[in-house]
Amino acid sequence: MKRLGILTMVLFIQTTFAQTNRFVYQVTMKPDASNKADIKTENAYLDISAEKSMFYSENRIKRDSVMQANRQSGGARGFNRDQMESLRSSINYSIEKDKKNQKTIYKDRLGRDAYSYEEDRALEWKILPETTKIGEYKVQKAETDFGGRKWTAWFTTDLPYQDGPYKFSGLPGLVVKAEDADGDYSFDLMKNYKIADFPEMNQFGNVVKVKRADYVKQQEKFKTDPMSFMNNQRSGGISSPMRTGGGGGNQNPADMRKRMEERAKEEIKKNSNPIELK
C-alpha cells in the first residue's frame, strides 16, 4: 500500500508539471494606417510548457472548432456566416518558441499557403530600475527596439516563466504588459489557468518554410498583386484565403475573381499598419 501511495503521488506530480499554462492577453491594435480611430481588440493565448510556448488568436481556435464540427457532420449543418464573421481575427499569425533550441518560429498565411520562418533577430532589452504593480504582480520596466518600433514592457518574476506575448522573450520574467511608443499595439495580461495540452490547429494548404527576408519579399508581392500571387501558388487546400463559407452556388468565375480581388485588397488596406514596420 505504501508503494502504491508513492506511485500515485509521483504520477500526480508528473501530471501537474506536464500541464500547460495558458496566459490570456488582451491585444489592442490600430492596423489601418489611414484610420487610427479604428481600434481592434481581441484576446490571444500564450500557452507555455517546459518545452515550448505558442502565441495565437483565441478566435482562431473558436473558428477551427466550428469548422471541425461542420466537417464531422459531413457539411450537413453548413456554416453560419454571421458566426464565422464574428470570429474573424486581426491576429492571423502564430508564434512558437522552442525553448530547448532557443528558436522562435513565426507562421502566417499569404494567399492560399502558410509561410513560416525562424526569427533571426535577437531582442536586446534594456532593463530599467522602475517598478510598479499591475494587477496582482510586481513588475519591472524594460525597453527594446524591434521591428521598427520602440517597445516598453513590464515583466514579473512572480511567475516562473521567461516568456511573453508575440515574439517577446529574453527577460528574467514573464511579460505582463507591452506597448509600442506610438500606442498602435499593446498586450495586456488578463488571466491565466492550466490546460491539458496544446490545442491542435487546422492547417489548410502548404506550409512553405523560408528565410525571414524571403518571407518579407513574398509578403510585398502579395500586397502588390494578391490575385496574381495566389494564382502562382501550388496549393489546392482552399479556394480562397478570404472565404468564410456559406453561399457559393454556380457563380460566374470572372465575378468571383473580381470579388475575391476586391476583398483581398480591402484586407490589405485594413492591415496597412503592421506590428512590424521593418
Side-chain angles (χ1 to χ4, degrees):
M1 288 295 292
K2 184 177 180 181
R3 185 175 296 175
L4 181 61
I6 293 172
L7 178 61
T8 301
M9 183 177 292
V10 170
L11 289 173
F12 173 77
I13 292 171
Q14 287 178 340
T15 302
T16 301
F17 281 94
Q19 282 183 321
T20 300
N21 291 272
R22 171 167 290 170
F23 294 87
V24 183
Y25 287 83
Q26 178 177 281
V27 187
T28 305
M29 303 156 280
K30 300 176 183 177
D32 188 344
S34 64
N35 184 11
K36 291 292 188 75
D38 183 19
I39 301 173
K40 307 290 186 185
T41 301
E42 62 179 279
N43 287 344
Y45 295 153
L46 175 64
D47 296 343
I48 306 177
S49 74
E51 297 80 24
K52 68 176 184 177
S53 70
M54 288 286 296
F55 183 75
Y56 56 94
S57 166
E58 177 184 69
N59 279 353
R60 172 173 178 176
I61 292 300
K62 291 181 177 179
R63 284 172 64 90
D64 282 359
S65 178
V66 171
M67 295 174 74
Q68 180 67 23
N70 184 67
R71 280 197 297 271
Q72 290 176 349
S73 67
R77 299 179 185 178
F79 283 122
N80 182 317
R81 184 178 293 274
D82 291 336
Q83 182 184 24
M84 294 298 283
E85 284 295 325
S86 71
L87 294 176
R88 287 175 68 85
S89 175
S90 295
I91 304 171
N92 296 308
Y93 57 82
S94 64
I95 294 169
E96 178 177 341
K97 302 187 188 92
D98 180 340
K99 296 175 183 285
K100 180 180 178 180
N101 298 306
Q102 295 294 301
K103 292 181 179 181
T104 297
I105 307 299
Y106 177 95
K107 184 184 292 184
D108 197 0
R109 179 168 295 282
L110 289 179
R112 303 178 192 276
D113 296 330
Y115 285 71
S116 73
Y117 67 82
E118 180 183 337
E119 178 56 63
D120 54 6
R121 299 164 296 176
L123 280 90
E124 298 180 0
W125 294 98
K126 179 182 179 182
I127 298 177
L128 303 173
E130 185 178 345
T131 61
T132 187
K133 198 168 185 182
I134 297 179
E136 60 186 288
Y137 303 115
K138 180 182 178 181
V139 296
Q140 187 170 352
K141 191 176 183 179
E143 295 178 342
T144 189
D145 291 307
F146 184 78
R149 293 183 185 273
K150 182 178 178 63
W151 291 92
T152 297
W154 296 89
F155 68 94
T156 183
T157 56
D158 294 346
L159 294 164
Y161 305 104
Q162 297 182 358
D163 209 329
Y166 195 61
K167 297 178 180 178
F168 302 128
S169 62
L171 285 166
L174 180 75
V175 175
V176 173
K177 180 180 178 65
E179 183 176 25
D180 78 293
D182 295 326
D184 289 344
Y185 287 85
S186 66
F187 301 84
D188 295 271
L189 179 61
M190 306 300 290
K191 59 183 178 179
N192 69 84
Y193 51 89
K194 292 184 182 298
I195 59 174
D197 202 355
F198 292 87
E200 289 188 18
M201 297 189 185
N202 290 332
Q203 183 62 61
F204 301 99
N206 299 313
V207 177
V208 184
K209 294 183 179 181
V210 294
K211 298 289 187 181
R212 185 181 63 85
D214 293 328
Y215 169 80
V216 172
K217 291 177 182 177
Q218 294 300 314
Q219 190 179 47
E220 287 305 313
K221 287 181 181 179
F222 176 68
K223 290 178 180 179
T224 302
D225 191 345
M227 292 311 298
S228 176
F229 183 90
M230 285 189 282
N231 287 337
N232 288 328
Q233 290 180 316
R234 302 184 303 273
S235 171
I238 54 174
S239 59
S240 167
M242 308 300 173
R243 188 170 179 176
T244 55
N250 297 320
Q251 298 184 47
N252 184 295
D255 290 341
M256 287 182 65
R257 177 185 171 85
K258 183 177 180 181
R259 280 194 293 271
M260 287 170 60
E261 186 168 15
E262 288 173 351
R263 181 175 293 186
K265 288 181 177 179
E266 182 63 23
E267 289 289 330
I268 291 168
K269 177 180 177 297
K270 288 180 179 179
N271 292 280
S272 54
N273 183 35
I275 189 169
E276 293 186 24
L277 298 173
K278 64 180 182 179

